[in-house]
Amino acid sequence: YAKTSAPRDGTKSLNSGAAGDGSTMMEGQALLQQCYYICFAVLSCLAPPSVHETTASHATQLRFEIGRDDRIAQQFNELNETNNDNSGIVELALLAWGILQVEMHCTSHGSMSGSPKWAEFLRVALHFRVRDPHSFEVDPDADVFRYAAHSIFGSVAFADEAPDVRDECVNAVHKVVVYFLHWVEKDTASGSILLGGTGGVTPSHYPGVADDQSIVKSGFTLGSVLALLASIYRVDLSLHEQCHPLNALMHHAAERQPESTTFVPLLDLYTSLATGTTGARYIFSKLLNPNPSVMGGSPPSWSGLYAALWEYCSLFKQEEIPAMKDDEATTLAAYLELLAHVLENGAPNDIPQWLSQLQSLDLTQILAPHHKDYAVENGCRPLFPLFFLQQQPIPAKLKGSLLTATRAFAPVTNAGLADQVWKFLESSKLLADLPSGVGGSGSMPIDIRYQLAEVEARAEEYSSTLAFIKLVNRLIIASQAFHAQLHKYVRFAREAVLAPLMSRGYQDQEQKWDLARECLAFLELTLQDLRIEEVDLDDQNIALDRVASLQTMQDLLSRGPAFRSIISILQIGVNNLICEKHKGTSGFKAELAIEAALKVLMMGFQVDKIAANKFNQVGPTYARSYKSIENHLQNKDIWTILGYVRYHYSPSIQVLALQVAQVLEDRIPELVNILLSPHPHTRNAAESTQELVYGFAECLQDSLFRPAVTDDGSISQDVRASLILDLLLKPIATKRPVPNLTHLLLGYDLESGISTSHIDIMSFSPLQVMYEALHQFQCHSTWPQEVEQMLRLLCLLLVEPATSTATLELLRSLDINFFADVLNAALVS
């Protein structure tokens, strides 16, 4: 696995415009998955279910037999000697084996100092460092615990596991961590590496790795254990109840502050523990009233966070520092993520009280007098430093963390708090008003636009912009009314974010899809309460460019930047999306972006005709010609949108594609001719059409026989079958000209002639799926609405002259009592 999982030149997928390397990367992920299954099984054999298991228990005796087995010992010796590729998978097994040896050979006095050879494997595991996946050099910052946290629990393979499998995996590793924490101090040298001290430490003989003295001094191993526990509790929080040394471990880590090697992982662990209302209350109280230090440390506290924020505000205000150091920014970002997580998980009635307590923090003993004065001048308001630091020279990721924390101050259930955040946002000029006739970059204000265009785009990292859009979305949801200046945020999302979205570079491709989804969700929010028929454009108080919902509709009706971006996102196509789902790293995020694009398109279809008529009646100031959305779709766009009916991984995407298909069938008379022409990405028209027919048939089959399920495993109300049958019914019921979409999707021969068609019931098509459904309906009366639609469709096909002959021939081939049995089942039900 170590030799094949990480290509030196990175990976590529649909996001980077190239293919090939993505499959190599996913082959590595598949190997990783197979390896960690085996590894976790080994861990489960070597670690006890509980560290308090008696030595006389049958399970312990079995584990000791494994530990004394010469053949197994020889295997572990060989693994230890031949782990030249620095495989973290192997080292996890060696760690568990080492702890077992310590347990077996621990003296009655609880000390291993007299028999160091039995702790050899444990010490080797603590010295272990993983190779960098690209340079293949040993990474001094990647030990076995961080490997498990980042390379396994942070992998695409693990994220794609079923929830119960993830729970089993983290449980196996958690048992080993608890096992390790229980026995590690029995060996003096190993305990020193974890908790500090110098007893028994020796220089390391590993190339590129610091010696034990450096490891002890930095608290690196302790930080790695905390990082791993944070990853585990993000998956299954209930496991923390089984980790008895947890409180002592957190206390020891807090005493080592301000060393970031332990402090940041400790904050991450607090963030994992602050999940749910109970966890949020516990962590908020813990940081509001931290335990006093006994070793001169400074435990994490809200006072410590706000003292740092106010101090930086004062320093930047007085221009005493040019910029913030990276390590300090990292610590502040972890602090802010913890604050945001606590506020997001707090109960609605807790949040106002917590905000009051944050404003009343006593910073006298922490802040220097002139820094304290600056805080007092600004009312010690918790939101002030979050906005003020946005416009200072700090890293983009920290700006994103500041905005994420700001968003948590506006819970969706409290419109009053959301209004407060709106006021701060407007007064901060984070999105400044553009001067009329703004030209070059020299006249651009230093705001979020500048941050995006001049800083983030160059670094190809967009944390700040993404957090900003999320903040605006939250404020819209939480507020009871649209903000008066919302139109300028629409312009920012359309022109600054969406328009260049697909052409920008990204270090993390998931960020591109996150940006797309959040911007499209923002446009959806602006349209959700639009009552276009009630809008009076003759009213002098209404201007198209200054009403958010009307500005969004203008864009959709004039093929503006947002509309073009929606089409660009959809043009990924179903085949590439399926490929990304299997071979890439951002398939899930791409799914969400595609779904958001289809939602906005569908919301536009609901009001576009009325809106276009109204907009075109406005005077010469608005001289553009507005058209309903289908007029802006090219043939390839129609093909692409209908193709998403084939994407069975997301029923919601299929539903939206079917709803768009119904609109297009109603509005585009030449739709069948478009679908009979070759798709741009296929060899011929017949192949394209057959693929489309199969896609609709498979969607109908899935809806009837494999209905969609919700997150809790219950069957949801699956409307895909009903939508497809409506789509098949409408053209023939409304007597659309022949041939129409019904004939195309049911498999009639459109070239030789519909009336002379011979339909093979065994050929896969929606008609064949309908036959199977009716056949099963005789046995159990499910899908009554869908069966009625099917029978009505067959009736209309028999009545229509063009299809009656072929349909009658098809029905004569069925069993003579077929419909009698269907009718009997319907009457009984």
Side-chain angles (χ1 to χ4, degrees), residues 306-327:
Y306 269 93
L309 291 174
W310 283 113
E311 180 176 349
Y312 273 113
C313 287
S314 177
L315 290 171
F316 282 121
K317 181 70 174 177
Q318 302 298 326
E319 299 182 352
E320 295 181 21
I321 56 172
M324 184 183 293
K325 296 179 180 178
D326 288 342
D327 58 341

Side-chain angles (χ1 to χ4, degrees), residues 201-503:
V201 293
T202 57
S204 170
H205 300 291
Y206 286 77
V209 180
D211 60 30
D212 286 357
Q213 295 278 8
S214 300
I215 295 174
V216 170
K217 185 177 179 181
S218 67
F220 180 82
T221 302
L222 177 58
S224 297
V225 173
L226 296 172
L228 176 55
L229 289 174
S231 297
I232 290 172
Y233 298 148
R234 276 195 292 271
V235 178
D236 187 353
L237 180 59
S238 65
L239 289 176
H240 84 279
E241 299 172 358
Q242 303 173 23
C243 187
H244 301 291
L246 182 61
N247 284 330
L249 196 70
M250 292 191 297
H251 179 72
H252 191 86
E255 291 290 352
R256 299 187 66 91
Q257 196 271 347
E259 296 169 359
S260 60
T261 52
T262 57
F263 197 63
V264 170
L266 178 62
L267 293 175
D268 290 341
L269 179 57
Y270 283 170
T271 302
S272 295
L273 294 175
T275 302
T277 55
T278 302
R281 285 174 184 156
Y282 167 73
I283 294 296
F284 186 86
S285 176
K286 186 178 183 67
L287 270 72
L288 186 65
N289 302 295
N291 293 325
S293 172
V294 296
M295 295 173 57
S298 179
S301 66
W302 300 132
S303 297
L305 167 61
Y306 269 93
L309 291 174
W310 283 113
E311 180 176 349
Y312 273 113
C313 287
S314 177
L315 290 171
F316 282 121
K317 181 70 174 177
Q318 302 298 326
E319 299 182 352
E320 295 181 21
I321 56 172
M324 184 183 293
K325 296 179 180 178
D326 288 342
D327 58 341
E328 295 172 350
T330 300
T331 302
L332 270 180
Y335 243 139
L336 290 163
E337 287 167 14
L338 170 60
L339 175 63
H341 194 75
V342 168
L343 294 176
E344 293 284 8
N345 283 269
N349 58 330
D350 288 334
I351 307 300
Q353 178 185 353
W354 289 356
L355 299 187
S356 176
Q357 290 172 323
L358 290 176
Q359 189 165 351
S360 303
L361 291 171
D362 182 10
L363 306 178
T364 306
Q365 302 299 320
I366 307 176
L367 277 177
H370 61 291
H371 298 324
K372 176 70 184 302
D373 292 342
Y374 185 74
V376 172
E377 287 173 12
N378 291 281
C380 294
R381 292 171 294 177
L383 280 170
F384 181 87
L386 305 185
F387 281 107
F388 179 84
L389 290 174
Q390 279 295 319
Q391 300 186 11
Q392 308 308 320
I394 62 176
K397 285 189 176 181
L398 179 56
K399 291 189 176 185
S401 298
L402 288 164
L403 288 171
T404 300
T406 304
R407 177 164 58 101
F409 279 84
V412 294
T413 56
N414 195 317
L417 289 176
D419 290 339
Q420 290 182 32
V421 178
W422 266 126
K423 292 176 182 177
F424 264 102
L425 181 59
E426 282 300 302
S427 63
S428 70
K429 301 296 183 183
L430 194 54
L431 183 63
D433 295 324
L434 283 176
S436 57
V438 63
S441 59
S443 57
M444 179 183 290
I446 307 299
D447 63 353
I448 191 71
R449 293 187 192 88
Y450 182 88
Q451 172 76 13
L452 171 60
E454 300 298 327
V455 180
E456 292 187 315
R458 295 179 188 224
E460 299 185 348
E461 209 286 327
Y462 304 88
S463 299
S464 179
T465 300
L466 179 58
F468 178 78
I469 298 294
K470 286 183 175 181
L471 170 61
V472 176
N473 285 346
R474 169 64 63 83
L475 295 177
I476 295 174
I477 294 171
S479 299
Q480 296 179 347
F482 276 173
H483 194 273
Q485 298 296 315
L486 191 60
H487 63 278
K488 71 179 183 182
Y489 296 92
V490 174
R491 181 177 178 183
F492 170 72
R494 290 168 51 232
E495 299 177 1
V497 185
L498 280 175
L501 179 80
M502 303 301 284
S503 59

Side-chain angles (χ1 to χ4, degrees), residues 656-670:
L656 288 164
L658 290 169
Q659 290 173 339
V660 174
Q662 288 181 329
V663 175
L664 298 180
E665 189 282 326
D666 182 56
R667 296 187 181 185
I668 303 179
E670 65 276 10

Side-chain angles (χ1 to χ4, degrees), residues 648-693:
H648 59 86
Y649 300 101
S650 173
S652 56
I653 287 180
Q654 290 180 306
V655 166
L656 288 164
L658 290 169
Q659 290 173 339
V660 174
Q662 288 181 329
V663 175
L664 298 180
E665 189 282 326
D666 182 56
R667 296 187 181 185
I668 303 179
E670 65 276 10
L671 180 61
V672 171
N673 292 332
I674 293 173
L675 298 180
L676 287 175
S677 61
H679 187 281
H681 301 297
T682 54
R683 290 187 296 273
N684 55 64
E687 179 184 332
S688 304
T689 304
Q690 192 64 49
E691 192 176 64
L692 189 67
V693 171

